[in-house]
Amino acid sequence: MKRNLLLTPGPSKVPVELCEILGKPIIHHRTPQFQQVLKEVNDGLKKIIGTSSDVYLLASSGTGAMEAAVSNLLSPGDKAITVEYGKFGERWTELVKAYKAVPVVLKIQWGKAVTAEEIKAALAQNPDAKAVFLTQCETSTSVTPDLQAIGAVMKSGTAVLVADSVSALGTEPMAMDGWGVDVVCSGSHKGLMLPPGVGIVAVSAKAIAMIASSTNVRYYFDLRKSKKALADIDTPFTPAIGIVIALNEAIKMLLSEGLDKKQEYYLKMARAVWAAAEAMGLKVYADPKFRSRALTAIVIPEALNPKKIVKTMRDVHGITFAGGQGELDGKVVRIAHMGAVDEYDILTGLSCLEKVLKEAGHKFELGASLAAAQKVFNS
Ligand SMILES: *Cc1c(COP(=O)(O)O)cnc(C)c1O
């Protein structure tokens, strides 16, 4: 039987331990048993996010968490800065427009991420902006900004800082309270190693006040309802029960290994992939100053047909990389090193990429990427 190795940046690989939990019969959610799970999940997420404030669970993919942030924070006509350095930053702009607020788009060259200075300048030009929406790990380009520095320049202002951490949470460091991030949006199917189904929104006191005063229309994703339910260790509607139960175990797995240590390991895998790409004569897309530890986009010459490379790896060999999105469509392959992925998954993925690149006519020495990666892993 063919292996089915997901090295995609969402959904990501689900470890066997979690598959077993996901296969168990469902329990009812309005029970002390489920309440205990909810409480543990909430406490665990607070640790991973670095907050003592509220964390709400939604039954949605990551975009639902983003939509909840926009529709609950803003009112029609409000101005908000949306920062675009990839496909997901563009989603913030679309969401702000969808809720009749006014996006001020800060466009950053793809491959780079926004800097604290650029945020500071944008806020100085738009002192009436209610919020800054940005992406912690821009999955389309594999970059990450210095959120701590951005939080520092925003701390004294009135605007809230909202991070799309859908692909970053668990993998990239996050200290929401310490850095001054007001809202963290995420989901279950990336660094948290589960299928999609749970959206996560963490909110600071400043954000809670803004949510209370928004005049926007909301119903299913009304975070005021989430807040009220959370006070009774409950959710306003039926949660994704099975995934919440597995999330509890996923969080325990991440925390028991030590999150700092785990995140250093993700960085090591990232460095191994960067070295591997170079060893095959390929370029890592992201600017070295902004490279993410959650995934890597590798530029593939168009003559080698990157789309076909992804397809052959998946359909012939059972190993899934992601292709490019937006302006990188047909230009890159993306490999995730988040969640449950380990160095042997990376080596398996690289050896398959080598085989398929060789077949496509790329000139390099077979085994070069594996040797380069192994050197990093064994350093
Ligand atoms: C995956 C992802 C999302 C959400 O996508 P969904 O398909 O709704 O889960 C949002 N932002 C980033 C950066 C992502 O990687």
Side-chain angles (χ1 to χ4, degrees), residues 9-212:
S12 66
K13 181 184 158 187
V14 179
V16 173
E17 297 92 313
L18 297 179
C19 291
E20 283 169 0
I21 291 166
L22 288 164
K24 286 190 176 169
I26 193 165
I27 64 167
H28 199 275
H29 58 298
R30 311 255 191 239
T31 55
Q33 289 77 9
F34 189 71
Q35 258 191 329
Q36 179 62 28
V37 172
L38 262 189
K39 190 172 168 357
E40 287 179 21
V41 166
N42 217 267
D43 290 345
L45 284 175
K46 283 181 181 184
K47 285 193 188 121
I48 293 176
I49 297 169
T51 186
S52 59
S53 198
D54 285 0
V55 180
Y56 307 132
L57 301 184
L58 308 170
S60 75
S61 77
T63 307
M66 295 171 72
E67 175 151 352
V70 170
S71 64
N72 281 274
L73 289 166
L74 300 180
S75 299
D78 276 355
K79 199 195 253 190
I81 295 170
T82 56
V83 193
E84 296 182 355
Y85 34 93
K87 190 82 190 133
F88 291 100
E90 291 170 4
R91 188 164 297 176
W92 279 132
T93 306
E94 290 163 14
L95 280 164
V96 168
K97 280 187 192 155
Y99 283 92
K100 309 273 185 275
V102 185
V104 178
V105 181
L106 177 54
K107 271 193 196 290
I108 306 293
Q109 192 195 324
W110 281 36
K112 293 182 189 292
V114 72
T115 63
E117 292 69 37
E118 286 163 332
I119 294 287
K120 199 174 167 184
L123 281 166
Q125 274 177 15
N126 301 279
D128 52 339
K130 290 274 174 66
V132 173
F133 292 95
L134 53 66
T135 316
Q136 188 185 4
C137 170
E138 177 48 79
T139 316
S140 59
T141 64
S142 69
V143 300
T144 186
D146 183 348
L147 261 192
Q148 183 172 12
I150 292 169
V153 299
M154 287 187 61
K155 241 174 195 164
S156 55
T158 53
V160 288
L161 173 57
V162 184
D164 166 357
S165 300
V166 177
S167 63
L169 195 66
T171 306
E172 293 285 350
M174 167 56 82
M176 178 171 147
D177 295 356
W179 295 350
V181 181
D182 292 292
V183 179
V184 171
C185 302
S186 197
S188 51
H189 57 309
K190 306 214 174 172
L192 300 177
M193 336 184 263
L194 288 168
V198 175
I200 297 162
V201 189
V203 288
S204 70
K206 189 167 155 187
I208 289 172
M210 204 179 269
I211 290 165

